[in-house]
Every structure is written in C-alpha cells, then in structure tokens.
C-alpha cells in the first residue's frame, strides 16, 4: 500500500528522533503496537481518530504527521517579520513567536519593555502558569502584592490567572521572553 500522505514515514522519524520504542509510543498514545507498526510500514492508513490519538500522545500538531516536509521540526521566526502588539503608549512591544497550539498547550512571546514602562497585564483566565525570562536589562514584576526584581539571566514562574504588572525603572530596554501555558 502506498501512502498518499507521509504519515508512516513521519511517525517513524519522530519516534526515532525521540528514542522511543513502538511499545513506548503505544503506551503514551493508546494505539496498539501492531497498528503503529503497520502505519510506519505503510501497510495501513490510519483513521483521523487514530492520527489524533498519536498526535495528542506525542504532543504534536496534527499536521506534523501529515506534512510532507524534510524540516518537520524547523520553524524559524524573525522579530523583523512579526508585527508587534504595542501598548502603554509604545512602551511595551509584544511579538507572538509561537501562537497557542492545543498539542503544545502553550504560546511564546518576545517582549520589549521600554524605560519608564508601567504595564498592568490582563489576567489570563485560561492560563495556568506564566514563565518569564529576562534576556536583557532589568524590571520589576508585581503579582499577588509581591514585587520581584528581575535582571538579565533571571527567570520566574507565576500564576497566570492573577493580575500582574511589569515596571521598567531603568533607562535601558528590557528584553523578556514569556511562555504562557494553558
């Protein structure tokens, strides 16, 4: 049987790159080892439900198994190609590097927080945890009546459903990466 879509080939590459046996993939996806083996050998074309179980178990996008791509894991983003969300009179610029995906459960942002910025962030009602990593400069994070001073190389994780505020008291831009998990 010849696959129209490269599901079997992609599954085998993903499994191999992660060092997973068929037994391990079967255990985390709920798809039998026999079925997985048949899919990899292009002896069986899986149903949409089966592809979905495999994608969910391996924490992949559904289309990662369907795409005919040699660079399956490569998604290069350039800040210069992304239009930022600008707030606080231009003192905060937020670039969405990787939007939310149900398979990953998170989204990633690059943020420039200008000197003098005092930005109150909306609570993320569906968010569980916000991870913040300072790549350049320094700033204060206020959440739950606590102030945390963060400098270059510092990271913090906090409850994303609580209100929070970012303040840059310095005369330098703060460059921050945010990961928001849902």
């Amino acid at each position: 049987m010849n696959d129209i879509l490269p599901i079997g080939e992609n599954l085998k590459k993903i499994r191999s790159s992660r060092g997973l046996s068929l037994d391990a993939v079967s255990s985390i996806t709920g798809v039998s080892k026999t079925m997985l083996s048949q899919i990899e050998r292009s002896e069986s074309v899986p149903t949409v439900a089966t592809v979905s179980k495999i994608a969910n178990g391996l924490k992949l996008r559904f289309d990662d198994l369907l795409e005919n791509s040699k660079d399956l894991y490569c998604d290069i983003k350039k800040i210069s190609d992304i239009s930022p969300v600008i707030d606080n009179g231009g003192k905060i610029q937020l670039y969405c590097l990787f939007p939310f995906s149900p398979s990953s459960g998170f989204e990633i942002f690059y943020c420039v927080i200008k000197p003098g910025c005092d930005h109150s962030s909306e609570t993320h009602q569906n968010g569980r945890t916000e991870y913040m990593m300072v790549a350049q400069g320094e700033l204060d994070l206020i959440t739950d009546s606590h102030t945390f001073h963060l400098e270059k190389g510092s990271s913090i994780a906090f409850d994303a459903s609580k209100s929070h505020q970012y303040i840059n008291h310095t005369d330098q831009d703060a460059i921050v990466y945010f990961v928001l998990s849902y």
Side-chain angles (χ1 to χ4, degrees), residues 66-91:
L66 305 178
E67 288 179 350
N68 211 354
S69 171
K70 294 183 188 212
D71 295 323
L72 192 60
Y73 297 105
C74 185
D75 190 6
I76 297 172
K77 304 287 183 165
K78 293 181 183 178
I79 297 301
S80 60
D81 295 338
I82 301 171
S83 296
V85 173
I86 298 174
D87 202 354
N88 203 275
K91 291 190 176 185

mmCIF file of all heavy atoms in Angstrom, residues 66-91:
data_model
loop_
_atom_site.group_PDB
_atom_site.id
_atom_site.type_symbol
_atom_site.label_atom_id
_atom_site.label_comp_id
_atom_site.label_asym_id
_atom_site.label_seq_id
_atom_site.Cartn_x
_atom_site.Cartn_y
_atom_site.Cartn_z
ATOM 1 N N LEU A 66 1.096 14.705 9.030
ATOM 2 C CA LEU A 66 0.563 14.691 7.668
ATOM 3 C C LEU A 66 1.438 15.404 6.659
ATOM 4 O O LEU A 66 1.354 15.140 5.463
ATOM 5 C CB LEU A 66 -0.826 15.349 7.647
ATOM 6 C CG LEU A 66 -1.865 14.779 8.598
ATOM 7 C CD1 LEU A 66 -3.151 15.573 8.487
ATOM 8 C CD2 LEU A 66 -2.108 13.315 8.325
ATOM 9 N N GLU A 67 2.266 16.334 7.130
ATOM 10 C CA GLU A 67 3.047 17.161 6.215
ATOM 11 C C GLU A 67 4.148 16.383 5.527
ATOM 12 O O GLU A 67 4.776 15.514 6.124
ATOM 13 C CB GLU A 67 3.674 18.344 6.974
ATOM 14 C CG GLU A 67 2.676 19.380 7.372
ATOM 15 C CD GLU A 67 3.316 20.524 8.129
ATOM 16 O OE1 GLU A 67 4.493 20.434 8.510
ATOM 17 O OE2 GLU A 67 2.608 21.514 8.352
ATOM 18 N N ASN A 68 4.366 16.737 4.286
ATOM 19 C CA ASN A 68 5.448 16.164 3.506
ATOM 20 C C ASN A 68 6.619 17.128 3.604
ATOM 21 O O ASN A 68 6.824 17.957 2.741
ATOM 22 C CB ASN A 68 4.990 16.003 2.052
ATOM 23 C CG ASN A 68 5.650 14.837 1.390
ATOM 24 O OD1 ASN A 68 6.528 14.200 1.958
ATOM 25 N ND2 ASN A 68 5.219 14.541 0.184
ATOM 26 N N SER A 69 7.365 17.049 4.696
ATOM 27 C CA SER A 69 8.398 18.049 4.964
ATOM 28 C C SER A 69 9.665 17.402 5.475
ATOM 29 O O SER A 69 9.628 16.564 6.359
ATOM 30 C CB SER A 69 7.874 19.044 6.005
ATOM 31 O OG SER A 69 8.894 19.882 6.422
ATOM 32 N N LYS A 70 10.792 17.822 4.921
ATOM 33 C CA LYS A 70 12.076 17.330 5.411
ATOM 34 C C LYS A 70 12.462 18.040 6.701
ATOM 35 O O LYS A 70 13.201 17.517 7.504
ATOM 36 C CB LYS A 70 13.153 17.536 4.349
ATOM 37 C CG LYS A 70 12.902 16.683 3.136
ATOM 38 C CD LYS A 70 13.999 16.843 2.124
ATOM 39 C CE LYS A 70 13.543 16.098 0.888
ATOM 40 N NZ LYS A 70 14.468 15.513 0.094
ATOM 41 N N ASP A 71 11.998 19.262 6.894
ATOM 42 C CA ASP A 71 12.303 20.034 8.090
ATOM 43 C C ASP A 71 11.097 20.052 9.019
ATOM 44 O O ASP A 71 10.602 21.086 9.404
ATOM 45 C CB ASP A 71 12.691 21.471 7.721
ATOM 46 C CG ASP A 71 13.973 21.535 6.930
ATOM 47 O OD1 ASP A 71 14.871 20.729 7.226
ATOM 48 O OD2 ASP A 71 14.069 22.358 6.018
ATOM 49 N N LEU A 72 10.646 18.881 9.399
ATOM 50 C CA LEU A 72 9.447 18.731 10.197
ATOM 51 C C LEU A 72 9.497 19.533 11.497
ATOM 52 O O LEU A 72 8.505 20.054 11.941
ATOM 53 C CB LEU A 72 9.241 17.244 10.497
ATOM 54 C CG LEU A 72 7.925 16.813 11.081
ATOM 55 C CD1 LEU A 72 6.783 17.179 10.142
ATOM 56 C CD2 LEU A 72 7.920 15.325 11.334
ATOM 57 N N TYR A 73 10.670 19.669 12.099
ATOM 58 C CA TYR A 73 10.776 20.324 13.391
ATOM 59 C C TYR A 73 11.352 21.728 13.301
ATOM 60 O O TYR A 73 11.764 22.298 14.281
ATOM 61 C CB TYR A 73 11.646 19.476 14.332
ATOM 62 C CG TYR A 73 11.038 18.148 14.599
ATOM 63 C CD1 TYR A 73 11.542 17.011 13.998
ATOM 64 C CD2 TYR A 73 9.927 18.032 15.409
ATOM 65 C CE1 TYR A 73 10.973 15.789 14.214
ATOM 66 C CE2 TYR A 73 9.353 16.808 15.637
ATOM 67 C CZ TYR A 73 9.877 15.688 15.043
ATOM 68 O OH TYR A 73 9.298 14.472 15.259
ATOM 69 N N CYS A 74 11.415 22.296 12.141
ATOM 70 C CA CYS A 74 12.065 23.586 11.965
ATOM 71 C C CYS A 74 11.039 24.666 11.648
ATOM 72 O O CYS A 74 10.347 24.602 10.638
ATOM 73 C CB CYS A 74 13.096 23.483 10.839
ATOM 74 S SG CYS A 74 14.053 24.977 10.634
ATOM 75 N N ASP A 75 10.931 25.648 12.521
ATOM 76 C CA ASP A 75 10.022 26.765 12.315
ATOM 77 C C ASP A 75 10.754 28.022 12.778
ATOM 78 O O ASP A 75 10.745 28.356 13.953
ATOM 79 C CB ASP A 75 8.731 26.558 13.100
ATOM 80 C CG ASP A 75 7.649 27.551 12.740
ATOM 81 O OD1 ASP A 75 7.853 28.348 11.794
ATOM 82 O OD2 ASP A 75 6.603 27.546 13.397
ATOM 83 N N ILE A 76 11.447 28.666 11.856
ATOM 84 C CA ILE A 76 12.266 29.822 12.199
ATOM 85 C C ILE A 76 11.413 31.086 12.204
ATOM 86 O O ILE A 76 10.654 31.334 11.274
ATOM 87 C CB ILE A 76 13.439 29.974 11.205
ATOM 88 C CG1 ILE A 76 14.348 28.753 11.299
ATOM 89 C CG2 ILE A 76 14.202 31.262 11.468
ATOM 90 C CD1 ILE A 76 15.418 28.708 10.240
ATOM 91 N N LYS A 77 11.540 31.870 13.269
ATOM 92 C CA LYS A 77 10.818 33.133 13.400
ATOM 93 C C LYS A 77 11.829 34.270 13.494
ATOM 94 O O LYS A 77 12.855 34.136 14.157
ATOM 95 C CB LYS A 77 9.959 33.149 14.668
ATOM 96 C CG LYS A 77 8.980 32.014 14.790
ATOM 97 C CD LYS A 77 7.834 32.185 13.849
ATOM 98 C CE LYS A 77 6.843 31.063 14.053
ATOM 99 N NZ LYS A 77 5.580 31.303 13.463
ATOM 100 N N LYS A 78 11.530 35.384 12.828
ATOM 101 C CA LYS A 78 12.361 36.582 12.923
ATOM 102 C C LYS A 78 11.485 37.716 13.447
ATOM 103 O O LYS A 78 10.404 37.967 12.913
ATOM 104 C CB LYS A 78 12.906 36.966 11.549
ATOM 105 C CG LYS A 78 13.892 35.996 10.971
ATOM 106 C CD LYS A 78 14.379 36.497 9.616
ATOM 107 C CE LYS A 78 15.320 35.510 8.986
ATOM 108 N NZ LYS A 78 15.759 35.975 7.666
ATOM 109 N N ILE A 79 11.983 38.388 14.458
ATOM 110 C CA ILE A 79 11.245 39.510 15.037
ATOM 111 C C ILE A 79 10.909 40.531 13.952
ATOM 112 O O ILE A 79 9.822 41.099 13.922
ATOM 113 C CB ILE A 79 12.051 40.161 16.184
ATOM 114 C CG1 ILE A 79 12.264 39.173 17.327
ATOM 115 C CG2 ILE A 79 11.392 41.437 16.686
ATOM 116 C CD1 ILE A 79 11.022 38.623 17.951
ATOM 117 N N SER A 80 11.833 40.746 13.026
ATOM 118 C CA SER A 80 11.622 41.742 11.967
ATOM 119 C C SER A 80 10.458 41.384 11.035
ATOM 120 O O SER A 80 9.933 42.245 10.347
ATOM 121 C CB SER A 80 12.901 41.934 11.151
ATOM 122 O OG SER A 80 13.297 40.709 10.552
ATOM 123 N N ASP A 81 10.034 40.125 11.043
ATOM 124 C CA ASP A 81 8.918 39.687 10.196
ATOM 125 C C ASP A 81 7.580 39.678 10.930
ATOM 126 O O ASP A 81 6.552 39.345 10.349
ATOM 127 C CB ASP A 81 9.185 38.278 9.651
ATOM 128 C CG ASP A 81 10.368 38.220 8.708
ATOM 129 O OD1 ASP A 81 10.732 39.284 8.135
ATOM 130 O OD2 ASP A 81 10.939 37.127 8.545
ATOM 131 N N ILE A 82 7.600 40.008 12.216
ATOM 132 C CA ILE A 82 6.386 39.931 13.037
ATOM 133 C C ILE A 82 5.933 41.334 13.414
ATOM 134 O O ILE A 82 6.743 42.160 13.840
ATOM 135 C CB ILE A 82 6.651 39.105 14.324
ATOM 136 C CG1 ILE A 82 7.117 37.688 13.952
ATOM 137 C CG2 ILE A 82 5.403 39.053 15.198
ATOM 138 C CD1 ILE A 82 7.611 36.885 15.143
ATOM 139 N N SER A 83 4.648 41.601 13.263
ATOM 140 C CA SER A 83 4.091 42.886 13.702
ATOM 141 C C SER A 83 3.761 42.781 15.185
ATOM 142 O O SER A 83 2.989 41.906 15.586
ATOM 143 C CB SER A 83 2.813 43.213 12.927
ATOM 144 O OG SER A 83 3.114 43.390 11.578
ATOM 145 N N PRO A 84 4.320 43.673 15.998
ATOM 146 C CA PRO A 84 4.075 43.572 17.439
ATOM 147 C C PRO A 84 2.723 44.172 17.831
ATOM 148 O O PRO A 84 2.165 45.002 17.125
ATOM 149 C CB PRO A 84 5.200 44.404 18.040
ATOM 150 C CG PRO A 84 5.457 45.451 17.006
ATOM 151 C CD PRO A 84 5.242 44.760 15.678
ATOM 152 N N VAL A 85 2.251 43.739 18.980
ATOM 153 C CA VAL A 85 1.144 44.403 19.645
ATOM 154 C C VAL A 85 1.811 45.470 20.495
ATOM 155 O O VAL A 85 2.721 45.179 21.275
ATOM 156 C CB VAL A 85 0.348 43.420 20.530
ATOM 157 C CG1 VAL A 85 -0.692 44.160 21.353
ATOM 158 C CG2 VAL A 85 -0.280 42.330 19.685
ATOM 159 N N ILE A 86 1.394 46.730 20.309
ATOM 160 C CA ILE A 86 2.017 47.845 21.022
ATOM 161 C C ILE A 86 1.008 48.398 22.021
ATOM 162 O O ILE A 86 -0.157 48.604 21.690
ATOM 163 C CB ILE A 86 2.479 48.936 20.035
ATOM 164 C CG1 ILE A 86 3.543 48.340 19.110
ATOM 165 C CG2 ILE A 86 3.013 50.152 20.780
ATOM 166 C CD1 ILE A 86 3.982 49.250 17.994
ATOM 167 N N ASP A 87 1.475 48.602 23.256
ATOM 168 C CA ASP A 87 0.591 49.077 24.316
ATOM 169 C C ASP A 87 1.358 50.073 25.176
ATOM 170 O O ASP A 87 2.555 50.279 24.985
ATOM 171 C CB ASP A 87 0.123 47.884 25.155
ATOM 172 C CG ASP A 87 -1.165 48.153 25.918
ATOM 173 O OD1 ASP A 87 -1.657 49.298 25.908
ATOM 174 O OD2 ASP A 87 -1.694 47.208 26.527
ATOM 175 N N ASN A 88 0.664 50.679 26.111
ATOM 176 C CA ASN A 88 1.256 51.584 27.085
ATOM 177 C C ASN A 88 2.008 52.715 26.395
ATOM 178 O O ASN A 88 3.168 52.991 26.710
ATOM 179 C CB ASN A 88 2.172 50.779 28.023
ATOM 180 C CG ASN A 88 2.384 51.456 29.359
ATOM 181 O OD1 ASN A 88 3.263 52.303 29.456
ATOM 182 N ND2 ASN A 88 1.589 51.106 30.348
ATOM 183 N N GLY A 89 1.370 53.318 25.398
ATOM 184 C CA GLY A 89 1.975 54.444 24.689
ATOM 185 C C GLY A 89 3.250 54.090 23.951
ATOM 186 O O GLY A 89 4.137 54.916 23.809
ATOM 187 N N GLY A 90 3.352 52.857 23.494
ATOM 188 C CA GLY A 90 4.533 52.411 22.761
ATOM 189 C C GLY A 90 5.649 51.898 23.658
ATOM 190 O O GLY A 90 6.713 51.521 23.167
ATOM 191 N N LYS A 91 5.410 51.860 24.967
ATOM 192 C CA LYS A 91 6.461 51.438 25.894
ATOM 193 C C LYS A 91 6.544 49.925 26.077
ATOM 194 O O LYS A 91 7.447 49.423 26.739
ATOM 195 C CB LYS A 91 6.285 52.120 27.244
ATOM 196 C CG LYS A 91 6.570 53.611 27.151
ATOM 197 C CD LYS A 91 6.642 54.239 28.506
ATOM 198 C CE LYS A 91 7.041 55.708 28.336
ATOM 199 N NZ LYS A 91 7.253 56.347 29.606
#
